[in-house]
Amino acid sequence: MTSTDWVKWHEAYGREGSGLGDRLAAVQAQIVRRLDDTAPMPLRVVSACAGDGRDLLGALAGRADADRVSAFLVECNTELATRAESAALALPARIVVHEGNAAKSDVYAGSVPADLVLLCGIFGNISDPDIQRVIRAAPQLCAKGAEVVWTRHRGGESDVTLQIRSWFADAGFEEVAFIAPDSADTWSVGVHRLVGPVADLELGQEWFRFFR
Ligand SMILES: C[S@@+](CC[C@H](N)C(=O)[O-])C[C@H]1O[C@@H](n2cnc3c(N)ncnc32)[C@H](O)[C@@H]1O
């Protein structure tokens, strides 16, 4: 499915100056905001290509109301999925970590719609047509008014964040936030809310493939 050593990739979270720590803080701030905005209602979360789940699980770790959250995390790497599962055990939230292919629509059957969809660490690893395909399909993962949190680096000519933001608009989303530090760091975090119609999950689809 992917040949990159994603366990090693996660080590950069602890490395000074990698930018990943700041990106994580920005993602978690958006998760916390969504939790606050929806309190005390239940919150359903889906995270595609969740890695070790540190964004959601870390945000929930500090919350007294984590028990109103149910989440479905999809990750293909066994070690990372196992780590996410262990971290989830410490939380009162109902977290399911599914080891599988997040690109296949069938994997989400029974676990959507969600009120918060995390698409973090995906758009920098797939082609532009695949990014567009994922965004077009995003309403299938979303409940009415759901928010999608996504990330993408902004490296020079390969900065497609403007297009990504317009593709979200085309797919029925309004922009809630776009965080792009004015520094040497090239990460960005976007948040889009579904204002258009929700869509039924279309089974049998494959939305993306990682380059490497
Ligand atoms: C860049 S990392 C991002 C991890 C996490 N979302 C984060 O932001 O920290 C990409 C992750 O996607 C996983 N991955 C790649 N292709 C996948 C697929 N088709 N289905 C599920 N997980 C996949 C990798 O194993 C890796 O953990």
Side-chain angles (χ1 to χ4, degrees):
M1 215 179 296
T2 169
S3 58
T4 299
D5 184 343
W6 291 111
V7 173
K8 209 172 179 59
W9 180 89
H10 276 70
E11 288 170 9
Y13 271 117
R15 249 193 324 269
E16 191 72 24
S18 78
L20 263 188
D22 293 337
R23 192 195 85 170
L24 175 64
V27 169
Q28 286 181 331
Q30 294 303 320
I31 294 170
V32 165
R33 183 193 48 73
R34 183 74 179 137
L35 279 159
D36 290 344
D37 286 353
T38 55
M41 302 295 286
L43 188 82
R44 299 159 294 179
V45 185
V46 159
S47 178
C49 300
D52 64 9
R54 69 180 66 200
D55 42 19
L56 176 67
L57 304 176
L60 291 179
R63 298 205 47 123
D65 63 347
D67 61 348
R68 68 186 177 88
V69 174
S70 57
F72 182 66
L73 280 56
V74 189
E75 167 56 46
C76 68
N77 180 288
T78 304
E79 185 170 340
L80 294 170
T82 304
R83 284 187 196 173
E85 236 160 14
S86 311
L89 282 178
L91 298 169
R94 288 168 304 289
I95 313 261
V96 174
V97 180
H98 177 80
E99 188 186 328
N101 189 348
K104 303 261 193 184
S105 60
D106 293 22
V107 100
Y108 302 96
S111 301
V112 291
D115 308 295
L116 175 64
V117 176
L118 304 179
L119 301 177
C120 300
I122 298 178
F123 291 166
N125 295 298
I126 64 177
S127 68
D128 292 357
D130 277 4
I131 297 175
Q132 205 171 356
R133 191 171 300 113
V134 171
I135 292 169
R136 273 204 208 107
Q140 298 176 35
L141 303 177
C142 289
K144 191 168 183 287
E147 290 185 14
V148 178
V149 179
W150 55 273
T151 64
R152 165 71 204 217
H153 65 79
R154 295 165 291 133
E157 284 173 17
S158 66
D159 184 0
V160 292
T161 54
L162 263 181
Q163 277 132 292
I164 288 173
R165 295 159 76 191
S166 76
W167 291 334
F168 269 108
D170 295 345
F173 291 84
E174 72 179 4
E175 189 161 290
V176 176
F178 179 65
I179 303 126
D182 191 16
S183 70
D185 284 348
T186 60
W187 59 266
S188 67
V189 173
V191 185
H192 281 81
R193 181 186 297 126
L194 185 66
V195 289
V198 295
D200 289 337
L201 183 65
E202 204 180 322
L203 296 176
Q205 302 302 302
E206 184 173 12
W207 292 322
F208 61 85
R209 273 188 197 194
F210 268 40
F211 293 133
R212 54 211 156 81

